[in-house]
Amino acid sequence: MTFATTHVPLLVDDLRRARATARLGRRIEYFDSIDSTNTEARRLATAGAIEGTVVIAETQTKGRGRLGRSWASPPLRNLYLSIVLRPPIAVAEAAQLTLVAGVAVAETVRTSAPRAAIKWPNDVVVAGRKLAGILTEMEADDDRVRFVILGIGVNLNAAPEDFPEELRDKATSLCAAAGRTIDRCAFADRLLSCLDDRYGLFLSKGFAALRPLWEACSSLTGRAVEIAGAGQRCAGIVTGIGEDGALILREATGRDVRVVAGDVTVIDGYAVDRQPRSAADC
Ligand code: BT5
């Protein structure tokens, strides 16, 4: 695979035109460089930004993952965006938006890389290497969500040497998986369209309606895993996902446990090589 050596800025005005009448992307704020698109989107949301406001940057100096981890953001190669959502849902349902976004990212990536799959809760991987990550942050009034910031990072045209040394054998890009350079503007438009559709389904019918789509993209069902999170560790075979988005594990004792957050390690290796079970229709 030969990676492009020159990279040009995203054609944001084309993206703005394409998204002008859509729910997600009707306002797009674009930055050459920013600390974190999630931080900027949160600032805009606090100041009253409408649902569907999108922040995109060519690079981030403090791109964030979960739990204070960092997100490598080499300039001009990839997609770093955050979306302001104002769903009329309870706080307990907000984590399901990570799964909704996972479906949209996986379905969009699969149009170029059919082997891509979701690794619960917030990764999209190809053959065990991370191609995309999702960071969902929330503000609430009592039990109701005030806004959610959905941050999505997708490695599109990064070559291995664009990543820090320690990520080179863990990360991949869509360019590497698909064997061709990816048009970042067209990808962003397709991703936002797909997410708009899946988010609409979530709002009208709840996560239960998205569950089959999520299951069709999951890399974990049937696999032996270990999950560490919230100070505890459990292990078992993944049997699926609940209607509330919890991962369901069957322990060696035969008992089913529901896991709502954590980091998954696949015990039987990473040979994820599945064809999609349902065609992406975005
Ligand atoms: C995530 O966290 O995967 C969420 C990443 C969200 C990034 C987006 S970019 C736009 C928006 N603005 C932000 O500031 N963030 C969001 P987590 O599951 O905690 O995974 C973080 C781990 O992924 C790191 O500790 C690394 O091991 C790995 N990693 C970091 N950068 C990566 C990259 N570019 N590609 C693949 N893996 C990466």
Side-chain angles (χ1 to χ4, degrees):
M1 168 75 215
T2 312
F3 292 89
T5 50
T6 54
H7 297 273
V8 294
L10 195 137
L11 297 173
V12 71
D13 284 333
D14 286 0
L15 186 60
R16 285 191 176 115
R17 265 192 295 278
R19 306 302 312 160
T21 58
R23 170 174 36 198
L24 304 187
R26 54 194 153 154
R27 174 181 173 192
I28 298 179
E29 297 293 327
Y30 171 79
F31 297 85
D32 293 336
S33 175
I34 202 164
D35 49 0
S36 153
T37 57
N38 261 41
T39 305
E40 178 63 14
R42 178 181 279 264
R43 196 188 61 72
L44 292 172
T46 305
I50 52 166
E51 171 159 271
T53 299
V54 170
V55 177
I56 298 185
E58 295 290 11
T59 187
Q60 304 181 108
T61 53
K62 288 187 184 146
R64 295 204 299 273
R66 296 174 301 155
L67 306 169
R69 297 173 191 141
S70 63
W71 187 254
S73 309
L76 302 172
R77 268 61 168 174
N78 300 329
L79 191 62
Y80 317 111
L81 64 77
S82 299
I83 308 162
V84 177
L85 299 178
R86 297 187 179 277
I89 58 173
V91 166
E93 294 166 298
Q96 294 167 5
L97 284 166
T98 301
L99 308 177
V100 174
V103 169
V105 174
E107 289 180 338
T108 308
V109 164
R110 276 183 170 189
T111 60
S112 309
R115 293 185 304 143
I118 300 171
K119 179 168 172 252
W120 183 92
N122 68 321
D123 294 350
V124 171
V125 298
V126 176
R129 289 178 181 237
K130 187 156 166 170
L131 188 140
I134 296 158
L135 176 67
T136 308
E137 298 177 319
M138 176 191 62
E139 283 287 328
D141 294 315
D142 300 323
D143 182 43
R144 301 303 290 178
V145 166
R146 184 140 57 94
F147 62 77
V148 166
I149 305 300
L150 198 54
I152 302 175
V154 189
N155 299 325
L156 292 181
N157 291 318
E161 59 271 22
D162 295 323
F163 294 113
E165 184 87 47
E166 68 276 12
L167 284 184
R168 285 185 194 160
D169 61 349
K170 293 191 193 134
T172 191
S173 66
L174 188 52
C175 173
R180 62 181 166 80
T181 303
I182 304 300
D183 176 336
R184 294 187 303 141
C185 184
F187 182 91
D189 184 28
R190 283 204 311 274
L191 173 61
L192 289 170
S193 294
C194 188
L195 182 57
D196 214 330
D197 182 80
R198 296 331 188 194
Y199 178 58
L201 189 59
F202 172 74
L203 291 181
S204 60
K205 302 224 164 95
F207 181 72
L210 280 143
R211 191 161 70 143
L213 302 177
W214 190 93
E215 295 265 12
C217 292
S218 170
S219 66
L220 294 182
T221 306
R223 313 203 65 155
V225 301
E226 229 175 57
I227 303 183
Q232 44 183 354
R233 193 168 274 279
C234 50
I237 307 285
V238 176
T239 59
I241 196 166
E243 295 208 340
D244 57 354
L247 198 70
I248 302 169
L249 280 193
R250 180 148 305 156
E251 293 183 325
T253 58
R255 188 176 73 116
D256 281 348
V257 292
R258 298 170 64 264
V259 188
V260 294
D263 284 307
V264 176
T265 305
V266 179
I267 298 171
D268 59 356
Y270 263 131
V272 179
D273 195 9
R274 254 186 212 164
Q275 294 301 312
R277 278 180 265 150
S278 76
D281 58 357
C282 295

mmCIF file of all heavy atoms in Angstrom, residues 35-38 60 62-67 69-74 78-82 122-123 130-135 151-153 155 163 167 170-172 263, ligand 1:
data_model
loop_
_atom_site.group_PDB
_atom_site.id
_atom_site.type_symbol
_atom_site.label_atom_id
_atom_site.label_comp_id
_atom_site.label_asym_id
_atom_site.label_seq_id
_atom_site.Cartn_x
_atom_site.Cartn_y
_atom_site.Cartn_z
ATOM 1 N N ASP A 35 -7.522 22.559 20.432
ATOM 2 C CA ASP A 35 -7.133 21.628 21.495
ATOM 3 C C ASP A 35 -7.907 20.320 21.343
ATOM 4 O O ASP A 35 -7.330 19.249 21.152
ATOM 5 C CB ASP A 35 -7.303 22.256 22.891
ATOM 6 C CG ASP A 35 -8.664 22.921 23.098
ATOM 7 O OD1 ASP A 35 -9.499 22.908 22.165
ATOM 8 O OD2 ASP A 35 -8.907 23.446 24.199
ATOM 9 N N SER A 36 -9.238 20.401 21.408
ATOM 10 C CA SER A 36 -10.077 19.204 21.224
ATOM 11 C C SER A 36 -11.417 19.656 20.656
ATOM 12 O O SER A 36 -12.012 20.618 21.171
ATOM 13 C CB SER A 36 -10.283 18.506 22.575
ATOM 14 O OG SER A 36 -11.504 17.776 22.579
ATOM 15 N N THR A 37 -11.887 18.986 19.618
ATOM 16 C CA THR A 37 -13.196 19.365 19.054
ATOM 17 C C THR A 37 -14.303 19.153 20.082
ATOM 18 O O THR A 37 -15.300 19.873 20.076
ATOM 19 C CB THR A 37 -13.504 18.572 17.767
ATOM 20 O OG1 THR A 37 -13.453 17.174 18.061
ATOM 21 C CG2 THR A 37 -12.532 18.908 16.648
ATOM 22 N N ASN A 38 -14.138 18.188 20.988
ATOM 23 C CA ASN A 38 -15.160 17.985 22.025
ATOM 24 C C ASN A 38 -15.227 19.185 22.972
ATOM 25 O O ASN A 38 -16.305 19.605 23.375
ATOM 26 C CB ASN A 38 -14.876 16.710 22.838
ATOM 27 C CG ASN A 38 -15.704 15.534 22.365
ATOM 28 O OD1 ASN A 38 -15.875 15.362 21.152
ATOM 29 N ND2 ASN A 38 -16.217 14.720 23.272
ATOM 30 N N GLN A 60 -5.679 18.102 16.340
ATOM 31 C CA GLN A 60 -5.994 18.457 17.721
ATOM 32 C C GLN A 60 -4.705 18.381 18.541
ATOM 33 O O GLN A 60 -3.943 17.418 18.413
ATOM 34 C CB GLN A 60 -7.006 17.476 18.317
ATOM 35 C CG GLN A 60 -8.305 17.349 17.538
ATOM 36 C CD GLN A 60 -9.275 16.384 18.195
ATOM 37 O OE1 GLN A 60 -10.276 16.776 18.753
ATOM 38 N NE2 GLN A 60 -8.979 15.102 18.119
ATOM 39 N N LYS A 62 -4.849 18.482 21.893
ATOM 40 C CA LYS A 62 -5.196 17.723 23.099
ATOM 41 C C LYS A 62 -6.400 16.837 22.825
ATOM 42 O O LYS A 62 -7.383 16.860 23.590
ATOM 43 C CB LYS A 62 -5.516 18.674 24.250
ATOM 44 C CG LYS A 62 -4.285 19.365 24.809
ATOM 45 C CD LYS A 62 -4.622 20.147 26.051
ATOM 46 C CE LYS A 62 -3.411 20.914 26.542
ATOM 47 N NZ LYS A 62 -3.755 22.194 27.137
ATOM 48 N N GLY A 63 -6.355 16.090 21.707
ATOM 49 C CA GLY A 63 -7.439 15.164 21.386
ATOM 50 C C GLY A 63 -7.588 14.172 22.527
ATOM 51 O O GLY A 63 -6.597 13.662 23.049
ATOM 52 N N ARG A 64 -8.839 13.905 22.918
ATOM 53 C CA ARG A 64 -9.082 13.084 24.112
ATOM 54 C C ARG A 64 -9.724 11.749 23.774
ATOM 55 O O ARG A 64 -10.564 11.655 22.889
ATOM 56 C CB ARG A 64 -10.063 13.799 25.051
ATOM 57 C CG ARG A 64 -9.588 15.070 25.656
ATOM 58 C CD ARG A 64 -10.373 15.321 26.951
ATOM 59 N NE ARG A 64 -11.803 15.458 26.714
ATOM 60 C CZ ARG A 64 -12.400 16.593 26.398
ATOM 61 N NH1 ARG A 64 -11.695 17.682 26.264
ATOM 62 N NH2 ARG A 64 -13.713 16.637 26.226
ATOM 63 N N GLY A 65 -9.349 10.721 24.534
ATOM 64 C CA GLY A 65 -10.092 9.475 24.576
ATOM 65 C C GLY A 65 -10.827 9.421 25.905
ATOM 66 O O GLY A 65 -10.986 10.447 26.570
ATOM 67 N N ARG A 66 -11.268 8.244 26.301
ATOM 68 C CA ARG A 66 -11.944 8.112 27.595
ATOM 69 C C ARG A 66 -10.909 8.120 28.711
ATOM 70 O O ARG A 66 -9.737 7.842 28.492
ATOM 71 C CB ARG A 66 -12.742 6.792 27.642
ATOM 72 C CG ARG A 66 -13.880 6.732 26.635
ATOM 73 C CD ARG A 66 -14.520 5.361 26.630
ATOM 74 N NE ARG A 66 -13.550 4.335 26.309
ATOM 75 C CZ ARG A 66 -13.636 3.055 26.670
ATOM 76 N NH1 ARG A 66 -14.653 2.632 27.369
ATOM 77 N NH2 ARG A 66 -12.714 2.198 26.327
ATOM 78 N N LEU A 67 -11.377 8.404 29.923
ATOM 79 C CA LEU A 67 -10.576 8.268 31.142
ATOM 80 C C LEU A 67 -9.229 8.985 31.048
ATOM 81 O O LEU A 67 -8.200 8.454 31.480
ATOM 82 C CB LEU A 67 -10.349 6.773 31.456
ATOM 83 C CG LEU A 67 -11.612 5.909 31.546
ATOM 84 C CD1 LEU A 67 -11.262 4.438 31.580
ATOM 85 C CD2 LEU A 67 -12.431 6.285 32.779
ATOM 86 N N ARG A 69 -7.349 9.496 28.528
ATOM 87 C CA ARG A 69 -6.401 9.026 27.502
ATOM 88 C C ARG A 69 -6.340 10.049 26.378
ATOM 89 O O ARG A 69 -7.238 10.846 26.208
ATOM 90 C CB ARG A 69 -6.848 7.681 26.953
ATOM 91 C CG ARG A 69 -6.861 6.592 28.003
ATOM 92 C CD ARG A 69 -7.478 5.340 27.405
ATOM 93 N NE ARG A 69 -7.752 4.356 28.421
ATOM 94 C CZ ARG A 69 -8.830 3.587 28.430
ATOM 95 N NH1 ARG A 69 -9.726 3.669 27.476
ATOM 96 N NH2 ARG A 69 -9.012 2.716 29.393
ATOM 97 N N SER A 70 -5.288 9.962 25.558
ATOM 98 C CA SER A 70 -5.195 10.941 24.478
ATOM 99 C C SER A 70 -5.530 10.285 23.137
ATOM 100 O O SER A 70 -5.467 9.055 22.988
ATOM 101 C CB SER A 70 -3.806 11.582 24.458
ATOM 102 O OG SER A 70 -2.863 10.597 24.189
ATOM 103 N N TRP A 71 -5.922 11.148 22.169
ATOM 104 C CA TRP A 71 -6.258 10.678 20.819
ATOM 105 C C TRP A 71 -5.275 11.291 19.838
ATOM 106 O O TRP A 71 -5.219 12.516 19.668
ATOM 107 C CB TRP A 71 -7.699 11.074 20.444
ATOM 108 C CG TRP A 71 -8.118 10.458 19.136
ATOM 109 C CD1 TRP A 71 -8.247 11.091 17.939
ATOM 110 C CD2 TRP A 71 -8.433 9.084 18.896
ATOM 111 N NE1 TRP A 71 -8.627 10.194 16.962
ATOM 112 C CE2 TRP A 71 -8.741 8.962 17.522
ATOM 113 C CE3 TRP A 71 -8.482 7.943 19.701
ATOM 114 C CZ2 TRP A 71 -9.098 7.735 16.947
ATOM 115 C CZ3 TRP A 71 -8.834 6.732 19.117
ATOM 116 C CH2 TRP A 71 -9.139 6.633 17.767
ATOM 117 N N ALA A 72 -4.448 10.458 19.225
ATOM 118 C CA ALA A 72 -3.446 10.945 18.274
ATOM 119 C C ALA A 72 -4.154 11.561 17.068
ATOM 120 O O ALA A 72 -5.027 10.928 16.470
ATOM 121 C CB ALA A 72 -2.553 9.786 17.831
ATOM 122 N N SER A 73 -3.762 12.791 16.725
ATOM 123 C CA SER A 73 -4.496 13.548 15.695
ATOM 124 C C SER A 73 -3.550 14.164 14.676
ATOM 125 O O SER A 73 -3.426 15.395 14.577
ATOM 126 C CB SER A 73 -5.322 14.654 16.370
ATOM 127 O OG SER A 73 -6.115 14.145 17.418
ATOM 128 N N PRO A 74 -2.843 13.340 13.892
ATOM 129 C CA PRO A 74 -1.933 13.905 12.887
ATOM 130 C C PRO A 74 -2.707 14.801 11.905
ATOM 131 O O PRO A 74 -3.826 14.468 11.521
ATOM 132 C CB PRO A 74 -1.346 12.670 12.185
ATOM 133 C CG PRO A 74 -2.265 11.548 12.510
ATOM 134 C CD PRO A 74 -2.882 11.873 13.834
ATOM 135 N N ASN A 78 -6.904 12.746 8.781
ATOM 136 C CA ASN A 78 -8.030 11.970 9.322
ATOM 137 C C ASN A 78 -9.254 12.838 9.514
ATOM 138 O O ASN A 78 -9.303 13.982 9.063
ATOM 139 C CB ASN A 78 -7.606 11.336 10.653
ATOM 140 C CG ASN A 78 -6.423 10.407 10.486
ATOM 141 O OD1 ASN A 78 -6.263 9.796 9.439
ATOM 142 N ND2 ASN A 78 -5.588 10.330 11.509
ATOM 143 N N LEU A 79 -10.226 12.308 10.252
ATOM 144 C CA LEU A 79 -11.418 13.081 10.576
ATOM 145 C C LEU A 79 -11.526 13.176 12.096
ATOM 146 O O LEU A 79 -11.514 12.148 12.783
ATOM 147 C CB LEU A 79 -12.640 12.349 10.007
ATOM 148 C CG LEU A 79 -13.950 13.122 10.014
ATOM 149 C CD1 LEU A 79 -13.855 14.379 9.160
ATOM 150 C CD2 LEU A 79 -15.083 12.239 9.502
ATOM 151 N N TYR A 80 -11.602 14.411 12.583
ATOM 152 C CA TYR A 80 -11.816 14.660 14.008
ATOM 153 C C TYR A 80 -13.026 15.574 14.089
ATOM 154 O O TYR A 80 -12.944 16.737 13.654
ATOM 155 C CB TYR A 80 -10.606 15.344 14.649
ATOM 156 C CG TYR A 80 -9.271 14.751 14.206
ATOM 157 C CD1 TYR A 80 -8.394 15.468 13.407
ATOM 158 C CD2 TYR A 80 -8.934 13.440 14.559
ATOM 159 C CE1 TYR A 80 -7.200 14.915 12.970
ATOM 160 C CE2 TYR A 80 -7.744 12.881 14.128
ATOM 161 C CZ TYR A 80 -6.882 13.620 13.330
ATOM 162 O OH TYR A 80 -5.710 13.057 12.887
ATOM 163 N N LEU A 81 -14.138 15.059 14.559
ATOM 164 C CA LEU A 81 -15.315 15.919 14.629
ATOM 165 C C LEU A 81 -16.123 15.645 15.885
ATOM 166 O O LEU A 81 -16.077 14.558 16.464
ATOM 167 C CB LEU A 81 -16.176 15.806 13.370
ATOM 168 C CG LEU A 81 -16.864 14.509 12.968
ATOM 169 C CD1 LEU A 81 -18.103 14.250 13.786
ATOM 170 C CD2 LEU A 81 -17.275 14.599 11.506
ATOM 171 N N SER A 82 -16.871 16.685 16.297
ATOM 172 C CA SER A 82 -17.757 16.566 17.457
ATOM 173 C C SER A 82 -19.089 17.187 17.097
ATOM 174 O O SER A 82 -19.146 18.203 16.393
ATOM 175 C CB SER A 82 -17.163 17.283 18.672
ATOM 176 O OG SER A 82 -15.915 16.701 19.010
ATOM 177 N N ASN A 122 -16.865 1.448 22.175
ATOM 178 C CA ASN A 122 -16.697 2.695 21.419
ATOM 179 C C ASN A 122 -15.635 2.650 20.337
ATOM 180 O O ASN A 122 -15.181 3.687 19.908
ATOM 181 C CB ASN A 122 -16.366 3.843 22.402
ATOM 182 C CG ASN A 122 -14.994 3.664 23.020
ATOM 183 O OD1 ASN A 122 -14.601 2.547 23.336
ATOM 184 N ND2 ASN A 122 -14.248 4.735 23.170
ATOM 185 N N ASP A 123 -15.230 1.452 19.915
ATOM 186 C CA ASP A 123 -14.193 1.366 18.891
ATOM 187 C C ASP A 123 -14.757 0.767 17.607
ATOM 188 O O ASP A 123 -15.647 -0.070 17.646
ATOM 189 C CB ASP A 123 -13.058 0.416 19.319
ATOM 190 C CG ASP A 123 -12.269 0.924 20.507
ATOM 191 O OD1 ASP A 123 -12.464 2.089 20.890
ATOM 192 O OD2 ASP A 123 -11.459 0.135 21.033
ATOM 193 N N LYS A 130 -7.335 -0.601 15.730
ATOM 194 C CA LYS A 130 -8.350 0.436 15.913
ATOM 195 C C LYS A 130 -8.307 1.457 14.779
ATOM 196 O O LYS A 130 -7.261 2.033 14.487
ATOM 197 C CB LYS A 130 -8.088 1.115 17.266
ATOM 198 C CG LYS A 130 -9.132 2.104 17.684
ATOM 199 C CD LYS A 130 -9.112 2.249 19.196
ATOM 200 C CE LYS A 130 -9.870 3.441 19.684
ATOM 201 N NZ LYS A 130 -10.043 3.428 21.131
ATOM 202 N N LEU A 131 -9.479 1.643 14.181
ATOM 203 C CA LEU A 131 -9.605 2.567 13.063
ATOM 204 C C LEU A 131 -10.356 3.824 13.487
ATOM 205 O O LEU A 131 -10.168 4.896 12.927
ATOM 206 C CB LEU A 131 -10.345 1.848 11.935
ATOM 207 C CG LEU A 131 -10.438 2.541 10.597
ATOM 208 C CD1 LEU A 131 -10.255 1.522 9.483
ATOM 209 C CD2 LEU A 131 -11.753 3.245 10.409
ATOM 210 N N ALA A 132 -11.232 3.685 14.485
ATOM 211 C CA ALA A 132 -12.040 4.832 14.926
ATOM 212 C C ALA A 132 -12.379 4.684 16.397
ATOM 213 O O ALA A 132 -12.456 3.566 16.924
ATOM 214 C CB ALA A 132 -13.327 4.916 14.102
ATOM 215 N N GLY A 133 -12.579 5.837 17.051
ATOM 216 C CA GLY A 133 -12.997 5.837 18.455
ATOM 217 C C GLY A 133 -14.067 6.895 18.666
ATOM 218 O O GLY A 133 -14.123 7.888 17.923
ATOM 219 N N ILE A 134 -14.898 6.673 19.657
ATOM 220 C CA ILE A 134 -16.018 7.571 19.938
ATOM 221 C C ILE A 134 -15.944 7.998 21.398
ATOM 222 O O ILE A 134 -15.717 7.159 22.277
ATOM 223 C CB ILE A 134 -17.355 6.841 19.656
ATOM 224 C CG1 ILE A 134 -17.442 6.491 18.166
ATOM 225 C CG2 ILE A 134 -18.556 7.689 20.081
ATOM 226 C CD1 ILE A 134 -18.397 5.373 17.856
ATOM 227 N N LEU A 135 -16.127 9.284 21.627
ATOM 228 C CA LEU A 135 -16.102 9.824 22.992
ATOM 229 C C LEU A 135 -17.387 10.611 23.213
ATOM 230 O O LEU A 135 -17.600 11.647 22.591
ATOM 231 C CB LEU A 135 -14.888 10.743 23.174
ATOM 232 C CG LEU A 135 -14.786 11.447 24.523
ATOM 233 C CD1 LEU A 135 -14.534 10.427 25.638
ATOM 234 C CD2 LEU A 135 -13.669 12.492 24.499
ATOM 235 N N GLY A 151 -18.167 12.884 20.127
ATOM 236 C CA GLY A 151 -16.874 13.085 19.467
ATOM 237 C C GLY A 151 -16.469 11.831 18.717
ATOM 238 O O GLY A 151 -16.534 10.723 19.255
ATOM 239 N N ILE A 152 -16.088 12.013 17.463
ATOM 240 C CA ILE A 152 -15.734 10.859 16.625
ATOM 241 C C ILE A 152 -14.387 11.114 15.959
ATOM 242 O O ILE A 152 -14.186 12.155 15.318
ATOM 243 C CB ILE A 152 -16.807 10.624 15.531
ATOM 244 C CG1 ILE A 152 -18.189 10.402 16.166
ATOM 245 C CG2 ILE A 152 -16.422 9.426 14.655
ATOM 246 C CD1 ILE A 152 -19.330 10.270 15.159
ATOM 247 N N GLY A 153 -13.465 10.191 16.122
ATOM 248 C CA GLY A 153 -12.182 10.252 15.421
ATOM 249 C C GLY A 153 -12.079 9.050 14.499
ATOM 250 O O GLY A 153 -12.255 7.912 14.950
ATOM 251 N N ASN A 155 -9.551 7.346 11.561
ATOM 252 C CA ASN A 155 -8.292 7.400 10.808
ATOM 253 C C ASN A 155 -8.610 7.121 9.349
ATOM 254 O O ASN A 155 -9.011 6.005 9.005
ATOM 255 C CB ASN A 155 -7.309 6.348 11.343
ATOM 256 C CG ASN A 155 -6.972 6.575 12.806
ATOM 257 O OD1 ASN A 155 -6.880 7.717 13.258
ATOM 258 N ND2 ASN A 155 -6.802 5.490 13.552
ATOM 259 N N PHE A 163 1.411 7.845 13.075
ATOM 260 C CA PHE A 163 0.998 7.583 14.456
ATOM 261 C C PHE A 163 2.217 7.562 15.372
ATOM 262 O O PHE A 163 3.322 7.217 14.937
ATOM 263 C CB PHE A 163 0.309 6.213 14.561
ATOM 264 C CG PHE A 163 -0.998 6.134 13.830
ATOM 265 C CD1 PHE A 163 -1.148 5.335 12.717
ATOM 266 C CD2 PHE A 163 -2.102 6.857 14.271
ATOM 267 C CE1 PHE A 163 -2.349 5.250 12.048
ATOM 268 C CE2 PHE A 163 -3.316 6.791 13.607
ATOM 269 C CZ PHE A 163 -3.446 5.981 12.488
ATOM 270 N N LEU A 167 1.583 3.310 18.930
ATOM 271 C CA LEU A 167 0.289 2.954 18.331
ATOM 272 C C LEU A 167 0.440 2.215 17.013
ATOM 273 O O LEU A 167 -0.541 1.728 16.453
ATOM 274 C CB LEU A 167 -0.534 4.225 18.068
ATOM 275 C CG LEU A 167 -1.195 4.913 19.250
ATOM 276 C CD1 LEU A 167 -2.028 6.092 18.761
ATOM 277 C CD2 LEU A 167 -2.072 3.944 20.018
ATOM 278 N N LYS A 170 -1.129 -1.008 16.713
ATOM 279 C CA LYS A 170 -2.488 -1.101 17.272
ATOM 280 C C LYS A 170 -3.508 -0.342 16.436
ATOM 281 O O LYS A 170 -4.697 -0.590 16.519
ATOM 282 C CB LYS A 170 -2.513 -0.487 18.678
ATOM 283 C CG LYS A 170 -1.719 -1.237 19.710
ATOM 284 C CD LYS A 170 -2.076 -0.669 21.083
ATOM 285 C CE LYS A 170 -1.095 -1.147 22.133
ATOM 286 N NZ LYS A 170 -0.644 -0.058 22.976
ATOM 287 N N ALA A 171 -3.026 0.671 15.669
ATOM 288 C CA ALA A 171 -3.949 1.533 14.925
ATOM 289 C C ALA A 171 -3.876 1.211 13.438
ATOM 290 O O ALA A 171 -2.873 0.698 12.941
ATOM 291 C CB ALA A 171 -3.580 2.997 15.157
ATOM 292 N N THR A 172 -4.959 1.514 12.735
ATOM 293 C CA THR A 172 -4.931 1.419 11.274
ATOM 294 C C THR A 172 -5.782 2.551 10.717
ATOM 295 O O THR A 172 -6.387 3.316 11.464
ATOM 296 C CB THR A 172 -5.423 0.047 10.786
ATOM 297 O OG1 THR A 172 -5.142 -0.073 9.384
ATOM 298 C CG2 THR A 172 -6.912 -0.152 11.014
ATOM 299 N N ASP A 263 -13.289 -1.727 29.472
ATOM 300 C CA ASP A 263 -12.389 -1.968 28.352
ATOM 301 C C ASP A 263 -12.328 -3.465 28.096
ATOM 302 O O ASP A 263 -12.080 -4.254 28.996
ATOM 303 C CB ASP A 263 -10.980 -1.455 28.686
ATOM 304 C CG ASP A 263 -10.915 0.062 28.593
ATOM 305 O OD1 ASP A 263 -11.310 0.585 27.544
ATOM 306 O OD2 ASP A 263 -10.493 0.709 29.570
HETATM 307 C C1 BT5 B 1 -11.568 6.614 22.321
HETATM 308 O O1 BT5 B 1 -11.124 6.555 23.616
HETATM 309 O O2 BT5 B 1 -11.410 5.754 21.485
HETATM 310 C C2 BT5 B 1 -12.301 7.897 21.971
HETATM 311 C C3 BT5 B 1 -11.579 8.692 20.910
HETATM 312 C C4 BT5 B 1 -12.368 9.898 20.475
HETATM 313 C C5 BT5 B 1 -11.571 10.800 19.617
HETATM 314 C C6 BT5 B 1 -12.391 11.942 19.061
HETATM 315 S S1 BT5 B 1 -11.526 12.874 17.873
HETATM 316 C C7 BT5 B 1 -12.746 14.088 17.873
HETATM 317 C C8 BT5 B 1 -13.188 14.252 19.327
HETATM 318 N N1 BT5 B 1 -12.376 15.214 20.015
HETATM 319 C C9 BT5 B 1 -11.660 14.651 21.019
HETATM 320 O O3 BT5 B 1 -10.871 15.260 21.766
HETATM 321 N N2 BT5 B 1 -11.938 13.330 21.072
HETATM 322 C C10 BT5 B 1 -12.913 12.949 20.077
HETATM 323 P P1 BT5 B 1 -10.485 5.249 24.296
HETATM 324 O O4 BT5 B 1 -11.401 4.075 24.122
HETATM 325 O O5 BT5 B 1 -10.167 5.676 25.681
HETATM 326 O O6 BT5 B 1 -9.201 4.963 23.459
HETATM 327 C C11 BT5 B 1 -8.046 5.749 23.583
HETATM 328 C C12 BT5 B 1 -6.863 4.874 23.183
HETATM 329 O O7 BT5 B 1 -6.896 4.648 21.760
HETATM 330 C C13 BT5 B 1 -5.523 5.511 23.462
HETATM 331 O O8 BT5 B 1 -5.113 5.269 24.783
HETATM 332 C C14 BT5 B 1 -4.630 4.808 22.440
HETATM 333 O O9 BT5 B 1 -4.245 3.517 22.890
HETATM 334 C C15 BT5 B 1 -5.566 4.599 21.261
HETATM 335 N N3 BT5 B 1 -5.433 5.670 20.247
HETATM 336 C C16 BT5 B 1 -5.101 6.980 20.430
HETATM 337 N N4 BT5 B 1 -5.154 7.646 19.287
HETATM 338 C C17 BT5 B 1 -5.505 6.746 18.330
HETATM 339 C C18 BT5 B 1 -5.721 6.841 16.926
HETATM 340 N N5 BT5 B 1 -5.638 7.981 16.236
HETATM 341 N N6 BT5 B 1 -6.067 5.693 16.278
HETATM 342 C C19 BT5 B 1 -6.200 4.520 16.923
HETATM 343 N N7 BT5 B 1 -6.007 4.377 18.242
HETATM 344 C C20 BT5 B 1 -5.669 5.483 18.942
#
